[in-house]
Amino acid sequence: MFGLEGYEIRQIPPHEGGRNVVYTCEKEGEDAKILRISFLPDRSREDFLAEVEYIRYLFEHGGSVSNVISSRKGNLLEEITYNNHTFFVCLFHKAKGKMLVENHYRYREGVPISEYYYNCGKVLGKLHQISKGYTPVHRRYSFFDKYNAEYIDKLIPDSLSLLKEKLVELLHTLRGLAKDPETFGMIHFDFNDGNYSIDFDTGQITVYDFDNSCFGWYMYDLADLWTNAVGWIQFEPDAGKRKKFMDDYFETVLAGYRSETKIDDSMLDKLPLFFKLTLMEGIVDTFEVMRNNGEDPACDEGLSYRIKCLEDDIPYRGFFHEIYSCEKPFAYEKRNI
């Protein structure tokens, strides 16, 4: 289907909650590629087509993304049915460079880490700017198609009644937000350092894993970017120092972001609201993984922490609050549900 004869094909070790089987494809004299096989039944052909069409659009309009490669038949997506089970297959160019974790969280030799923060904002700003002109052929779901009171009620155990109440309140608040083309469009919805690679020669960031992409507020991806940076300072005992670091970090991110696209201060003022939304996404995702694995719902210390922050309206994911411990970051006493 994809002309991969002669390539060495190796599976990338899967991670907890992963949705796909993924392989690296390497051959001397050729660019490396990534083969992705999706097997879970909870997404349709339309969903996958919408994702790869969006990636191709971003690439063609100058977005720093791993481009999708057409099959020999000229398709962005191929479908295989075997034993009554459908598999969706697509191929991507492998992003240049490495993930931060593969480089032991060290940045470029002799270059200030602020370059990385700025570039994160810049790359994301460019993707959002391109999205503002995007009209899909196949359409991904919109935020409220998935995140609504009915779904929350069905997914989350009844013993967490206060959490359900807080989530419904949050959804009600979100429904009152503007959804104009400058604030709401196709977003990555999982923008973190596990989903992009860095070319350590140039600092260039290439984004991939658009599995969760959907129509949502651009602010959500920025909130994710903030959340992703807590790891740099999470073991600092002084909350004031953690706050100072995060403020400086986000100022640099925003400078990069605004070099590519506009964002109103009125939306930036809602950053604490979007932190709540990132908590909700994490909670929903955790319960979905348990459901998909056929497990009974259970709360580990990480999930208990996220629930506590939402139930008690603790701002900034509790990072500057007494609930937070630098010895056990983002953990709270296990909840029995």
Side-chain angles (χ1 to χ4, degrees), residues 73-137:
K73 292 178 183 172
N75 299 324
L76 298 181
L77 181 73
E78 289 289 354
E79 199 173 319
I80 299 170
T81 302
Y82 179 76
N83 281 351
N84 297 321
H85 194 102
T86 301
F87 300 86
F88 293 99
V89 187
C90 40
L91 188 70
F92 303 90
H93 286 284
K94 188 173 189 292
K96 196 168 182 188
K98 294 177 175 178
M99 292 193 293
L100 261 180
V101 64
E102 293 170 320
N103 208 48
H104 311 292
Y105 286 97
R106 288 194 307 267
Y107 192 55
R108 307 204 297 136
E109 198 76 34
V111 178
I113 190 82
S114 56
E115 178 195 84
Y116 165 62
Y117 304 155
Y118 183 89
N119 285 349
C120 280
K122 188 175 180 65
V123 165
L124 183 61
K126 178 77 169 178
L127 297 187
H128 287 174
Q129 182 59 32
I130 296 166
S131 282
K132 289 172 186 180
Y134 178 59
T135 305
V137 178

Side-chain angles (χ1 to χ4, degrees), residues 15-239:
H15 62 273
E16 182 70 30
R19 309 186 44 80
N20 310 295
V21 186
V22 185
Y23 301 85
T24 55
C25 310
E26 294 177 336
K27 183 180 180 180
E28 203 171 327
E30 300 284 349
D31 289 340
K33 298 170 178 66
I34 298 287
L35 182 72
R36 188 186 81 184
I37 302 175
S38 304
F39 60 92
L40 292 177
D42 60 345
R43 292 191 183 172
S44 67
R45 183 172 180 275
E46 178 91 1
D47 288 330
F48 289 112
L49 265 179
E51 177 198 349
V52 290
E53 283 176 6
Y54 176 55
I55 293 168
R56 175 62 63 86
Y57 182 89
L58 288 172
F59 182 81
E60 288 179 344
H61 289 78
S64 189
V65 299
S66 291
N67 193 19
V68 59
I69 301 169
S70 300
S71 70
R72 282 176 162 166
K73 292 178 183 172
N75 299 324
L76 298 181
L77 181 73
E78 289 289 354
E79 199 173 319
I80 299 170
T81 302
Y82 179 76
N83 281 351
N84 297 321
H85 194 102
T86 301
F87 300 86
F88 293 99
V89 187
C90 40
L91 188 70
F92 303 90
H93 286 284
K94 188 173 189 292
K96 196 168 182 188
K98 294 177 175 178
M99 292 193 293
L100 261 180
V101 64
E102 293 170 320
N103 208 48
H104 311 292
Y105 286 97
R106 288 194 307 267
Y107 192 55
R108 307 204 297 136
E109 198 76 34
V111 178
I113 190 82
S114 56
E115 178 195 84
Y116 165 62
Y117 304 155
Y118 183 89
N119 285 349
C120 280
K122 188 175 180 65
V123 165
L124 183 61
K126 178 77 169 178
L127 297 187
H128 287 174
Q129 182 59 32
I130 296 166
S131 282
K132 289 172 186 180
Y134 178 59
T135 305
V137 178
H138 295 85
R139 191 177 177 86
R140 289 285 285 184
Y141 67 90
S142 191
F143 176 82
F144 289 114
D145 294 338
K146 174 173 178 177
Y147 295 93
N148 54 66
E150 188 183 357
Y151 184 62
I152 296 289
D153 189 50
K154 199 163 65 174
L155 182 70
I156 292 174
D158 289 339
S159 58
L160 294 170
S161 56
L162 178 56
L163 173 65
K164 287 188 183 190
E165 195 180 300
K166 290 290 183 180
L167 291 178
V168 171
E169 263 176 41
L170 175 58
L171 289 169
H172 181 72
T173 304
L174 291 166
R175 284 193 182 276
L177 292 187
K179 286 203 290 181
D180 58 82
E182 284 298 311
T183 59
F184 192 92
M186 272 291 278
I187 59 173
H188 189 281
F189 209 63
D190 195 15
F191 198 85
N192 66 71
D193 62 34
N195 288 338
Y196 51 74
S197 288
I198 303 165
D199 181 341
F200 286 95
D201 292 330
T202 64
Q204 179 62 42
I205 293 169
T206 305
V207 186
Y208 39 80
D209 279 2
F210 284 81
D211 270 43
N212 294 324
S213 57
C214 65
F215 283 88
W217 293 273
Y218 296 120
M219 273 302 301
Y220 182 90
D221 280 349
L222 277 168
D224 250 357
L225 201 43
W226 187 98
T227 301
N228 191 39
V230 297
W232 297 108
I233 195 78
Q234 64 182 354
F235 299 116
E236 166 57 56
D238 186 324

Side-chain angles (χ1 to χ4, degrees), residues 293-312:
N293 292 343
E295 299 166 3
D296 289 333
C299 265
D300 64 10
E301 291 175 333
L303 179 56
S304 299
Y305 180 92
R306 292 196 291 271
I307 290 171
K308 181 72 174 167
C309 284
L310 273 176
E311 285 183 339
D312 290 8

Side-chain angles (χ1 to χ4, degrees), residues 226 243 247 271-272 275 305 309 314-320 330:
W226 187 98
K243 177 86 166 63
D247 287 349
L271 189 60
F275 290 143
Y305 180 92
C309 284
I314 299 170
Y316 290 88
R317 297 175 65 101
F319 198 42
F320 315 126
F330 305 103

